[in-house]
Amino acid sequence: MKKIQKIAMMTSGGDSPGMNANIRAVVRSGIYHDVEVFGIKRGFDGLIDDEIEAMDLSSVSNIIQRGGTILKTARSKRFMDAAYRKIAFENLQKRGIDAMVVCGGNGSYTGAQILNQEHGIKVVGTPGTIDNDLFGTDFTIGYDTALNTVIEAVDKIRDTASSHNRMFFIEVMGRDAGFIALNSGIASGAEAIFIPEIKGDYQNFVERFEKNERDNKLFSIIIIAEGDESGGAFKVAEMFKEKYADLETRVSILGHIQRGGNPSCRDRVLASKLGAGAVEALLKGESNIAIGEINGKISHTPFEKAIKLQHNSISKEMLSLAKLLAM
Ligand code: F6P
C-alpha cells in the first residue's frame, strides 16, 4: 500500500467552535508523521476554485482558542454537479494530494463520500457542527460551546423574566434535532422544552400550565428548538397570547451567537483528539469513514452508515429527567 504523503484539510457547512483546534491537530499530526498538509479554503467551493495552500506549524499557531474557522467555510451548491467535482478532484491531483479530511456535518460527509466514489481519493470526516446531530460520535465539535453560550444567555434572560414576571419563549438552534434545546433546557432549569423528536409539546405545555396556574407555579423560561413542529418561538408565543392575553410574554431568538465564541475546553480536546485520529486513520489506509468519539474512545463509522442514520436518538432518560425537574 502506497504511504499517504499529502493530506488536504477543509471545513465545510456551518462553522462551529473547535474547528480551528481540529485544523491545528490535523496539521500538527500530519507534520509529526512526515506528511505534507494543505488547507482548502471555503470548503468544497474553494476546492473547485483551487484555493489550496500548503500549511505548516506557523499556519496553525495561536488558533486553538479561536471560534469560527481560519480556513473559512461554505455550503457548496456547485459541488452537487459532477462536472464541478471533476474540477475539484483535478485540483487535488495536480498537487499530488492523496487524501482529504473534511470537518463538517452530514452534507459535508456526503460530499466527501461522492468524491471518493467518483475519483478514488481517500477521505475521512470529523464531526464539526453545533447541532450534535451526527451519527458515529457521542458529541460533535462545537456542541459543548454552543450549550454553554445558550445557558449563559438564558441565565441572563431569567433575571428579566423574574424581575418583571414575564414568560420568555426562547428559540435555540439545532436544525431538525433537539439536542441543544433539551440539554440547555435541563441546564438552565427551563419550565418547558419543545423538541422536534417529541410530538404534542405545545399541547402538553398548555395542559401543565392550566393545571399549575392554580398552584402558582411560575413559568418563565420555555425553550423551543428551531425545528420543533410548533413552528418556532414566535408562533408559540402567538398561540399562547391568543389564549392568555393578560400575561406578559416575550420572544428571544438566540440565533448565531450560538455558533461563535471561543471553544470550551471540552470542544478543544475533542477536536484535537479527532484531528489526530483522522490523520492516523488515513495513514492506516482507512477511507470513507467518520471519525468520532464513543464512550471516550475514538470510533470509525463508515460514511454510508453515518449519513443514512443521520444522528443518535434523544435519550429517554434525559427526556424523563427534563420532565421530572420541570414539575
Ligand atoms: O448546522 C448549524 C446551524 O447553525 C443550525 O443549527 C441552523 O439551522 C443552521 O446551521 C443555520 O444555518 P445558516 O448558516 O444558513 O445560518
Side-chain angles (χ1 to χ4, degrees), residues 64-84:
I64 194 167
Q65 77 284 13
R66 284 165 56 190
T69 157
I70 58 160
L71 288 177
K72 302 190 181 291
T73 185
R75 296 191 177 98
S76 175
K77 285 212 169 68
R78 285 185 296 164
F79 203 71
M80 293 179 182
D81 181 335
Y84 280 113

Side-chain angles (χ1 to χ4, degrees), residues 170-183:
I170 304 173
E171 186 174 303
V172 299
M173 280 187 168
R175 203 177 287 274
D176 49 14
F179 295 101
I180 296 182
L182 179 61
N183 285 283

